[in-house]
Amino acid sequence: MEAVQVVRSRRKTIAIEIHPDGRVILRLPLRYPKTKIPEILEQYRDWITEKVRKFQEQQRQIPEHKFVEGETFLYLGKEYPLHILEHASRALEWNEAGFWMLKTDSHHARKLFLAWYQEKALAYFTARAKHFDKKFTDKPYQIKLSNARTRWGTCSTRGILRLSWRIIMAPPEIVDNVIVHELAHFLHQNHSRAFWEAVAAECPNYKQARAWLRNFGHLLAI
Ligand SMILES: [Zn+2]
């Protein structure tokens, strides 16, 4: 089994966390006897092994883009092929037929795509947040982008919604779900029943959306 990190805190229950990078964390109450640790690990052994295996498999599936003709890139849940052009007015463009990149700019293709995705992400997230925000806050807030791979959004009490630009690659209902989740934290700074009810009022399929992110979130990569 993987190396297990034991973290004790003022909690009443035991929890095991498996992280996508392979770390296994066992969370224990302060006074939980050390001698019982092997027993817990034995009890959850198959579950831990299976989770770690799943994450390792996901890591292998992460697309490694080479930015060549015909390669596909995700945008709002759809795959678009890349076309390399000899002549173009802009280094990278997109339309319904795909992405169009100028050949002479292909040496910094990843940077171009990143800038393109981030520009689209900020505009789209802002518009979607505006669509939902009345229900959750009447105070001004700011949307910022992060580069996170699993923590898709965070919300600070100082009014900053931080969303991973990667979400712009996911289907629109997934984007909405992440945004609504973070907006709902303006009302509830926890994951209480009231919080989930507020989320469900706008995104009735939030459970499926969360499952989608767990299963396919690793594919939101360039
Ligand atoms: Zn949350």
Side-chain angles (χ1 to χ4, degrees):
M1 200 183 318
E2 311 294 311
V4 178
Q5 189 188 341
V6 177
V7 178
R8 288 174 186 275
S9 62
R10 302 182 67 165
R11 55 180 299 140
K12 292 195 174 76
T13 55
I14 297 164
I16 304 175
E17 288 169 12
I18 320 288
H19 289 260
D21 58 10
R23 278 177 305 134
V24 180
I25 298 175
L26 177 61
R27 296 196 183 275
L28 297 176
L30 288 175
R31 290 174 203 282
Y32 196 86
K34 203 177 172 181
T35 49
K36 278 195 162 179
I37 293 176
E39 202 180 304
I40 306 171
L41 293 178
E42 188 51 41
Q43 197 181 336
Y44 289 97
R45 187 198 192 92
D46 290 349
W47 180 82
I48 295 170
T49 310
E50 176 54 26
K51 274 255 180 179
V52 168
R53 193 198 57 76
K54 197 177 155 199
F55 278 133
Q56 282 168 345
E57 196 184 300
Q58 288 188 347
Q59 290 296 319
R60 281 195 296 275
Q61 289 171 358
I62 293 176
E64 263 277 355
H65 282 115
K66 294 184 178 68
F67 305 95
V68 292
E69 178 74 32
E71 198 177 20
T72 59
F73 290 81
L74 283 167
Y75 174 44
L76 287 172
K78 289 192 194 143
E79 290 198 67
Y80 294 94
L82 174 62
H83 307 285
I84 311 285
L85 299 173
E86 298 282 344
H87 307 282
S89 54
R90 291 184 61 189
L92 181 67
E93 276 188 87
W94 171 90
N95 62 30
E96 282 297 328
F99 286 95
W100 307 82
M101 188 169 59
L102 187 58
K103 193 176 179 185
T104 50
D105 278 297
S106 52
H107 63 283
H108 56 249
R110 189 176 302 275
K111 230 167 142 182
L112 287 174
F113 266 89
L114 182 65
W116 187 89
Y117 276 123
Q118 290 184 334
E119 189 191 324
K120 293 289 175 189
L122 195 57
Y124 188 79
F125 297 169
T126 303
R128 294 312 290 163
K130 220 180 185 141
H131 175 81
F132 292 110
D133 62 11
K134 313 272 171 305
K135 303 257 166 61
F136 302 105
T137 184
D138 51 9
K139 294 200 188 86
Y141 61 91
Q142 219 185 331
I143 292 181
K144 292 192 175 185
L145 299 179
S146 82
N147 187 35
R149 286 169 189 274
T150 52
R151 209 167 178 213
W152 304 111
T154 61
C155 170
S156 84
T157 46
R158 301 207 333 266
I160 295 171
L161 276 195
R162 211 176 285 274
L163 303 163
S164 175
W165 64 268
R166 295 171 187 279
I167 290 292
I168 196 69
M169 289 186 258
E173 63 272 22
I174 306 296
V175 182
D176 281 357
N177 179 265
V178 172
I179 291 174
V180 165
H181 181 112
E182 298 312 328
L183 283 171
H185 278 313
F186 282 135
L187 287 180
H188 308 278
Q189 280 84 48
N190 51 41
H191 291 126
S192 59
R193 179 191 284 260
F195 168 84
W196 291 115
E197 278 169 7
V199 170
E202 297 300 324
C203 294
N205 295 327
Y206 75 91
K207 282 185 184 158
Q208 285 97 307
R210 288 169 65 76
W212 190 95
L213 282 169
R214 275 196 302 277
N215 292 323
F216 304 112
H218 62 288
L219 300 176
L220 307 179
I222 55 169

